[in-house]
mmCIF file of all heavy atoms in Angstrom:
data_model
loop_
_atom_site.group_PDB
_atom_site.id
_atom_site.type_symbol
_atom_site.label_atom_id
_atom_site.label_comp_id
_atom_site.label_asym_id
_atom_site.label_seq_id
_atom_site.Cartn_x
_atom_site.Cartn_y
_atom_site.Cartn_z
ATOM 1 N N ASN A 19 3.143 20.189 -16.304
ATOM 2 C CA ASN A 19 2.216 21.317 -16.440
ATOM 3 C C ASN A 19 2.943 22.647 -16.267
ATOM 4 O O ASN A 19 2.676 23.613 -17.001
ATOM 5 C CB ASN A 19 1.086 21.194 -15.414
ATOM 6 C CG ASN A 19 -0.030 22.192 -15.665
ATOM 7 O OD1 ASN A 19 -0.474 22.366 -16.791
ATOM 8 N ND2 ASN A 19 -0.477 22.844 -14.613
ATOM 9 N N SER A 23 3.391 25.453 -19.109
ATOM 10 C CA SER A 23 2.940 26.810 -18.780
ATOM 11 C C SER A 23 4.020 27.836 -19.112
ATOM 12 O O SER A 23 3.737 28.904 -19.662
ATOM 13 C CB SER A 23 2.575 26.905 -17.297
ATOM 14 O OG SER A 23 1.483 26.081 -16.976
ATOM 15 N N ILE A 102 0.551 36.779 -20.598
ATOM 16 C CA ILE A 102 -0.376 36.507 -19.481
ATOM 17 C C ILE A 102 -1.693 35.949 -19.996
ATOM 18 O O ILE A 102 -2.243 34.996 -19.426
ATOM 19 C CB ILE A 102 -0.615 37.799 -18.668
ATOM 20 C CG1 ILE A 102 0.662 38.188 -17.913
ATOM 21 C CG2 ILE A 102 -1.775 37.618 -17.688
ATOM 22 C CD1 ILE A 102 0.603 39.545 -17.246
ATOM 23 N N ILE A 103 -2.218 36.529 -21.077
ATOM 24 C CA ILE A 103 -3.490 36.041 -21.632
ATOM 25 C C ILE A 103 -3.341 34.615 -22.150
ATOM 26 O O ILE A 103 -4.182 33.746 -21.883
ATOM 27 C CB ILE A 103 -3.985 36.974 -22.755
ATOM 28 C CG1 ILE A 103 -4.402 38.331 -22.168
ATOM 29 C CG2 ILE A 103 -5.170 36.340 -23.498
ATOM 30 C CD1 ILE A 103 -4.769 39.370 -23.212
ATOM 31 N N PHE A 104 -2.257 34.344 -22.870
ATOM 32 C CA PHE A 104 -2.026 32.986 -23.365
ATOM 33 C C PHE A 104 -1.917 31.998 -22.204
ATOM 34 O O PHE A 104 -2.482 30.897 -22.260
ATOM 35 C CB PHE A 104 -0.736 32.939 -24.199
ATOM 36 C CG PHE A 104 -0.919 33.336 -25.638
ATOM 37 C CD1 PHE A 104 -1.839 34.309 -26.001
ATOM 38 C CD2 PHE A 104 -0.171 32.741 -26.633
ATOM 39 C CE1 PHE A 104 -2.013 34.680 -27.325
ATOM 40 C CE2 PHE A 104 -0.333 33.089 -27.965
ATOM 41 C CZ PHE A 104 -1.259 34.067 -28.309
ATOM 42 N N LEU A 105 -1.204 32.391 -21.168
ATOM 43 C CA LEU A 105 -1.051 31.516 -20.002
ATOM 44 C C LEU A 105 -2.398 31.287 -19.322
ATOM 45 O O LEU A 105 -2.719 30.158 -18.933
ATOM 46 C CB LEU A 105 -0.064 32.137 -19.012
ATOM 47 C CG LEU A 105 0.170 31.364 -17.709
ATOM 48 C CD1 LEU A 105 0.699 29.963 -17.999
ATOM 49 C CD2 LEU A 105 1.131 32.125 -16.800
ATOM 50 N N GLY A 106 -3.188 32.354 -19.193
ATOM 51 C CA GLY A 106 -4.509 32.232 -18.578
ATOM 52 C C GLY A 106 -5.411 31.285 -19.355
ATOM 53 O O GLY A 106 -6.149 30.478 -18.768
ATOM 54 N N ILE A 107 -5.353 31.367 -20.677
ATOM 55 C CA ILE A 107 -6.156 30.471 -21.518
ATOM 56 C C ILE A 107 -5.704 29.022 -21.330
ATOM 57 O O ILE A 107 -6.533 28.116 -21.176
ATOM 58 C CB ILE A 107 -6.045 30.886 -22.997
ATOM 59 C CG1 ILE A 107 -6.730 32.239 -23.221
ATOM 60 C CG2 ILE A 107 -6.678 29.823 -23.907
ATOM 61 C CD1 ILE A 107 -6.480 32.847 -24.589
ATOM 62 N N TYR A 108 -4.381 28.805 -21.315
ATOM 63 C CA TYR A 108 -3.877 27.446 -21.129
ATOM 64 C C TYR A 108 -4.283 26.883 -19.769
ATOM 65 O O TYR A 108 -4.713 25.722 -19.664
ATOM 66 C CB TYR A 108 -2.356 27.403 -21.269
ATOM 67 C CG TYR A 108 -1.775 26.093 -20.803
ATOM 68 C CD1 TYR A 108 -1.967 24.931 -21.547
ATOM 69 C CD2 TYR A 108 -1.082 26.007 -19.594
ATOM 70 C CE1 TYR A 108 -1.479 23.711 -21.109
ATOM 71 C CE2 TYR A 108 -0.582 24.793 -19.152
ATOM 72 C CZ TYR A 108 -0.785 23.651 -19.909
ATOM 73 O OH TYR A 108 -0.313 22.446 -19.453
ATOM 74 N N LEU A 109 -4.150 27.675 -18.721
ATOM 75 C CA LEU A 109 -4.504 27.206 -17.382
ATOM 76 C C LEU A 109 -6.001 26.931 -17.262
ATOM 77 O O LEU A 109 -6.417 26.105 -16.449
ATOM 78 C CB LEU A 109 -4.074 28.246 -16.339
ATOM 79 C CG LEU A 109 -2.564 28.430 -16.168
ATOM 80 C CD1 LEU A 109 -2.270 29.534 -15.157
ATOM 81 C CD2 LEU A 109 -1.889 27.126 -15.749
ATOM 82 N N SER A 110 -6.813 27.606 -18.076
ATOM 83 C CA SER A 110 -8.266 27.395 -18.032
ATOM 84 C C SER A 110 -8.696 26.164 -18.814
ATOM 85 O O SER A 110 -9.624 25.464 -18.419
ATOM 86 C CB SER A 110 -8.989 28.627 -18.595
ATOM 87 O OG SER A 110 -8.757 29.773 -17.796
ATOM 88 N N TYR A 111 -8.004 25.858 -19.924
ATOM 89 C CA TYR A 111 -8.493 24.813 -20.833
ATOM 90 C C TYR A 111 -7.491 23.699 -21.104
ATOM 91 O O TYR A 111 -7.833 22.724 -21.782
ATOM 92 C CB TYR A 111 -8.918 25.452 -22.165
ATOM 93 C CG TYR A 111 -10.024 26.468 -21.998
ATOM 94 C CD1 TYR A 111 -9.734 27.829 -21.964
ATOM 95 C CD2 TYR A 111 -11.345 26.077 -21.848
ATOM 96 C CE1 TYR A 111 -10.733 28.770 -21.803
ATOM 97 C CE2 TYR A 111 -12.358 27.014 -21.679
ATOM 98 C CZ TYR A 111 -12.041 28.362 -21.659
ATOM 99 O OH TYR A 111 -13.036 29.290 -21.486
ATOM 100 N N GLY A 112 -6.259 23.835 -20.602
ATOM 101 C CA GLY A 112 -5.274 22.790 -20.824
ATOM 102 C C GLY A 112 -4.761 22.782 -22.251
ATOM 103 O O GLY A 112 -4.984 23.710 -23.023
ATOM 104 N N LEU A 113 -4.083 21.710 -22.597
ATOM 105 C CA LEU A 113 -3.508 21.579 -23.932
ATOM 106 C C LEU A 113 -4.571 20.993 -24.855
ATOM 107 O O LEU A 113 -4.580 19.797 -25.150
ATOM 108 C CB LEU A 113 -2.269 20.681 -23.881
ATOM 109 C CG LEU A 113 -1.226 20.882 -24.983
ATOM 110 C CD1 LEU A 113 -0.704 22.309 -24.980
ATOM 111 C CD2 LEU A 113 -0.082 19.903 -24.802
ATOM 112 N N THR A 114 -5.501 21.860 -25.314
ATOM 113 C CA THR A 114 -6.665 21.402 -26.078
ATOM 114 C C THR A 114 -6.871 22.250 -27.330
ATOM 115 O O THR A 114 -6.228 23.285 -27.522
ATOM 116 C CB THR A 114 -7.939 21.500 -25.219
ATOM 117 O OG1 THR A 114 -8.156 22.884 -24.876
ATOM 118 C CG2 THR A 114 -7.819 20.685 -23.941
ATOM 119 N N ILE A 116 -9.497 24.002 -27.878
ATOM 120 C CA ILE A 116 -10.072 25.278 -27.438
ATOM 121 C C ILE A 116 -8.970 26.270 -27.081
ATOM 122 O O ILE A 116 -9.061 27.468 -27.393
ATOM 123 C CB ILE A 116 -11.002 25.067 -26.220
ATOM 124 C CG1 ILE A 116 -12.201 24.203 -26.617
ATOM 125 C CG2 ILE A 116 -11.477 26.400 -25.661
ATOM 126 C CD1 ILE A 116 -13.111 24.826 -27.640
ATOM 127 N N THR A 117 -7.910 25.797 -26.433
ATOM 128 C CA THR A 117 -6.789 26.673 -26.074
ATOM 129 C C THR A 117 -6.156 27.280 -27.318
ATOM 130 O O THR A 117 -5.898 28.490 -27.379
ATOM 131 C CB THR A 117 -5.732 25.887 -25.275
ATOM 132 O OG1 THR A 117 -6.283 25.522 -24.008
ATOM 133 C CG2 THR A 117 -4.482 26.728 -25.046
ATOM 134 N N TYR A 120 -8.634 29.846 -28.851
ATOM 135 C CA TYR A 120 -8.758 31.091 -28.094
ATOM 136 C C TYR A 120 -7.481 31.922 -28.137
ATOM 137 O O TYR A 120 -7.533 33.153 -28.113
ATOM 138 C CB TYR A 120 -9.145 30.785 -26.647
ATOM 139 C CG TYR A 120 -10.619 30.427 -26.468
ATOM 140 C CD1 TYR A 120 -11.121 30.058 -25.230
ATOM 141 C CD2 TYR A 120 -11.489 30.456 -27.547
ATOM 142 C CE1 TYR A 120 -12.460 29.731 -25.060
ATOM 143 C CE2 TYR A 120 -12.825 30.125 -27.392
ATOM 144 C CZ TYR A 120 -13.308 29.760 -26.140
ATOM 145 O OH TYR A 120 -14.624 29.448 -25.975
ATOM 146 N N THR A 251 -12.141 38.841 -24.000
ATOM 147 C CA THR A 251 -11.111 38.212 -23.160
ATOM 148 C C THR A 251 -11.714 37.717 -21.855
ATOM 149 O O THR A 251 -11.408 36.615 -21.388
ATOM 150 C CB THR A 251 -9.965 39.207 -22.881
ATOM 151 O OG1 THR A 251 -9.395 39.644 -24.125
ATOM 152 C CG2 THR A 251 -8.873 38.549 -22.050
ATOM 153 N N VAL A 252 -12.583 38.528 -21.264
ATOM 154 C CA VAL A 252 -13.295 38.103 -20.055
ATOM 155 C C VAL A 252 -14.128 36.852 -20.356
ATOM 156 O O VAL A 252 -14.149 35.896 -19.570
ATOM 157 C CB VAL A 252 -14.207 39.234 -19.525
ATOM 158 C CG1 VAL A 252 -15.109 38.720 -18.396
ATOM 159 C CG2 VAL A 252 -13.372 40.408 -19.030
ATOM 160 N N ALA A 253 -14.791 36.849 -21.510
ATOM 161 C CA ALA A 253 -15.615 35.697 -21.893
ATOM 162 C C ALA A 253 -14.772 34.443 -22.069
ATOM 163 O O ALA A 253 -15.168 33.353 -21.644
ATOM 164 C CB ALA A 253 -16.377 36.007 -23.177
ATOM 165 N N MET A 254 -13.604 34.589 -22.703
ATOM 166 C CA MET A 254 -12.719 33.438 -22.900
ATOM 167 C C MET A 254 -12.270 32.840 -21.571
ATOM 168 O O MET A 254 -12.273 31.627 -21.379
ATOM 169 C CB MET A 254 -11.493 33.840 -23.716
ATOM 170 C CG MET A 254 -11.710 33.949 -25.201
ATOM 171 S SD MET A 254 -10.164 34.202 -26.105
ATOM 172 C CE MET A 254 -9.878 35.943 -25.824
ATOM 173 N N LEU A 255 -11.861 33.710 -20.648
ATOM 174 C CA LEU A 255 -11.253 33.244 -19.402
ATOM 175 C C LEU A 255 -12.274 32.862 -18.331
ATOM 176 O O LEU A 255 -12.043 31.919 -17.564
ATOM 177 C CB LEU A 255 -10.316 34.326 -18.859
ATOM 178 C CG LEU A 255 -9.091 34.649 -19.730
ATOM 179 C CD1 LEU A 255 -8.321 35.818 -19.132
ATOM 180 C CD2 LEU A 255 -8.184 33.429 -19.857
ATOM 181 N N TYR A 256 -13.389 33.602 -18.290
ATOM 182 C CA TYR A 256 -14.329 33.408 -17.173
ATOM 183 C C TYR A 256 -15.775 33.231 -17.612
ATOM 184 O O TYR A 256 -16.654 33.099 -16.759
ATOM 185 C CB TYR A 256 -14.252 34.607 -16.214
ATOM 186 C CG TYR A 256 -12.864 34.918 -15.741
ATOM 187 C CD1 TYR A 256 -12.173 36.048 -16.199
ATOM 188 C CD2 TYR A 256 -12.201 34.080 -14.838
ATOM 189 C CE1 TYR A 256 -10.885 36.336 -15.764
ATOM 190 C CE2 TYR A 256 -10.920 34.357 -14.407
ATOM 191 C CZ TYR A 256 -10.270 35.489 -14.877
ATOM 192 O OH TYR A 256 -8.993 35.764 -14.451
ATOM 193 N N GLY A 257 -16.042 33.235 -18.920
ATOM 194 C CA GLY A 257 -17.418 33.235 -19.400
ATOM 195 C C GLY A 257 -18.260 32.091 -18.889
ATOM 196 O O GLY A 257 -19.383 32.299 -18.408
ATOM 197 N N ASP A 258 -17.755 30.875 -18.980
ATOM 198 C CA ASP A 258 -18.529 29.713 -18.524
ATOM 199 C C ASP A 258 -18.829 29.798 -17.028
ATOM 200 O O ASP A 258 -19.943 29.482 -16.590
ATOM 201 C CB ASP A 258 -17.769 28.423 -18.833
ATOM 202 C CG ASP A 258 -17.740 28.106 -20.321
ATOM 203 O OD1 ASP A 258 -18.719 28.425 -21.011
ATOM 204 O OD2 ASP A 258 -16.730 27.558 -20.794
ATOM 205 N N LYS A 259 -17.843 30.227 -16.233
ATOM 206 C CA LYS A 259 -18.057 30.350 -14.788
ATOM 207 C C LYS A 259 -19.093 31.420 -14.483
ATOM 208 O O LYS A 259 -19.919 31.248 -13.578
ATOM 209 C CB LYS A 259 -16.735 30.698 -14.103
ATOM 210 C CG LYS A 259 -15.695 29.591 -14.176
ATOM 211 C CD LYS A 259 -14.387 30.014 -13.527
ATOM 212 C CE LYS A 259 -13.339 28.920 -13.652
ATOM 213 N NZ LYS A 259 -12.034 29.334 -13.070
#
Side-chain angles (χ1 to χ4, degrees):
N19 190 46
S23 296
I102 291 172
I103 292 174
F104 275 34
L105 178 59
I107 292 170
Y108 168 71
L109 292 177
S110 296
Y111 300 100
L113 205 59
T114 62
I116 296 296
T117 293
Y120 283 177
T251 302
V252 171
M254 281 188 282
L255 295 175
Y256 307 108
D258 289 327
K259 293 178 182 178

